[in-house]
Amino acid sequence: MELCFIGGGHVLKGELDEVFEELSKSIKPNANILVVPFATDVSKYDSWMESLEQIFLKISNVTLELLHEDLSTKEMITMINDSDVLYLIGGRPEKLLQLIEEKELASSIRNYSGLLIGYSAGALAFCEDCILTKDEDYPESLVMKGLGLVDFSVEVHYNEAIDDELFSLSTERTIYALPDGSAIFYKDGNIHKQVNDVISFQEKKKLIVYKRAIL
C-alpha cells in the first residue's frame, strides 16, 4: 500500500506544486484517478473537480472521475476497483468517515492496491486515530476512529499555536504535523519521503523530521 498525506494548501495558487511534482513520479501514465468527495457538500463537487483537473492534467495523461455519493454501494466498489489512484479531498473528516461506513466502502479502501492520496480531511481519515484539533469548526479536540491504514496520526494545516494541544495528544500516539504545502509519502510500512516541513510530536516531545531547504 502506498499513501500520500497532504497537509493542505491551495492548488491553483501553486502552494502544492512540489507535492504534485512528487506525486507525478508515483502515478503511471493513463492512470484512472477516482476522487472521493464525501468530506464536502455536493454543491462544491464541481469546483473541486475543476481544480484537480487543472493540476492533474499537468503531470500526466490521466482520467479523473468522481465517486458521487448518490451511487449504489455496488457501483462505488466497482469504480474503486477499476481505479489506479484514490484521492480523498478535504472538508469535514467526520462526514467522510460516516459516508464510507454507510456505503460499506472501508474494506475496499483498506485493501486497495493503488495509490491513496489524502488531502486535509482525507489525510486525517487514513489514520488509526483521526484527530480533530480545536479550531473554528471544532470547539474541543476530538479523536475519532479512522480507517486504520497507519498506526500514526497527522495534524493538517499545522501552525505552532496548536503545539500545547499536540503535546497532550501525543502521549498516546505519534502525530506528524503538516503545514500547508507539506506532505509525507508512506510505503511498505514506512514513511519514505517528505515534501516541505514535517514535524513530529511523540510523548510530549517535538521534533523537526524534515525541514524545507531555503535556496
Side-chain angles (χ1 to χ4, degrees), residues 20-21 23-33 52-64 85 115:
F20 278 89
E21 183 179 346
L23 277 172
S24 68
K25 301 173 185 177
S26 300
I27 299 174
K28 64 184 182 182
N30 305 311
N32 177 18
I33 299 173
L52 290 174
E53 283 168 1
Q54 291 189 48
I55 191 70
F56 274 116
L57 291 178
K58 291 180 182 178
I59 63 175
S60 47
N61 183 24
V62 300
T63 301
L64 212 60
V85 179
L115 171 64

Side-chain angles (χ1 to χ4, degrees), residues 6-159:
I6 303 175
H10 201 295
V11 169
L12 299 183
K13 292 181 180 178
E15 294 172 356
L16 292 171
D17 285 355
E18 292 174 72
V19 174
F20 278 89
E21 183 179 346
E22 286 298 329
L23 277 172
S24 68
K25 301 173 185 177
S26 300
I27 299 174
K28 64 184 182 182
N30 305 311
N32 177 18
I33 299 173
L34 184 60
V35 178
V36 182
F38 301 160
T40 194
D41 295 328
V42 174
S43 61
K44 297 179 180 178
Y45 283 8
D46 288 345
S47 61
W48 269 98
M49 288 298 286
E50 288 171 6
S51 297
L52 290 174
E53 283 168 1
Q54 291 189 48
I55 191 70
F56 274 116
L57 291 178
K58 291 180 182 178
I59 63 175
S60 47
N61 183 24
V62 300
T63 301
L64 212 60
E65 291 188 279
L66 180 73
L67 191 68
H68 202 286
E69 63 183 70
D70 289 341
L71 296 172
S72 68
T73 294
K74 183 178 179 180
E75 290 171 322
M76 288 184 176
I77 291 175
T78 296
M79 291 183 72
I80 290 171
N81 291 339
D82 289 344
S83 69
D84 302 295
V85 179
L86 283 185
Y87 190 106
L88 280 64
I89 69 169
R92 300 189 71 96
E94 72 276 17
K95 182 176 185 294
L96 169 61
L97 289 166
Q98 179 182 351
L99 277 169
I100 287 173
E101 183 68 24
E102 288 178 0
K103 294 295 184 178
E104 300 177 342
L105 302 178
S107 179
S108 295
I109 295 174
R110 291 190 183 107
N111 295 313
Y112 191 68
S113 60
L115 171 64
L116 286 157
I117 305 170
Y119 172 91
S120 188
L124 295 175
F126 286 161
C127 304
E128 181 77 33
D129 292 334
C130 175
I131 296 175
L132 313 181
T133 49
K134 289 187 292 188
D135 60 17
E136 63 272 12
D137 294 318
Y138 304 100
E140 297 294 334
S141 294
L142 297 173
V143 179
M144 303 174 57
K145 181 181 178 182
L147 290 168
L149 305 184
V150 294
D151 61 2
F152 56 81
S153 296
V154 295
E155 165 71 5
V156 295
H157 308 292
Y158 167 72
N159 68 77

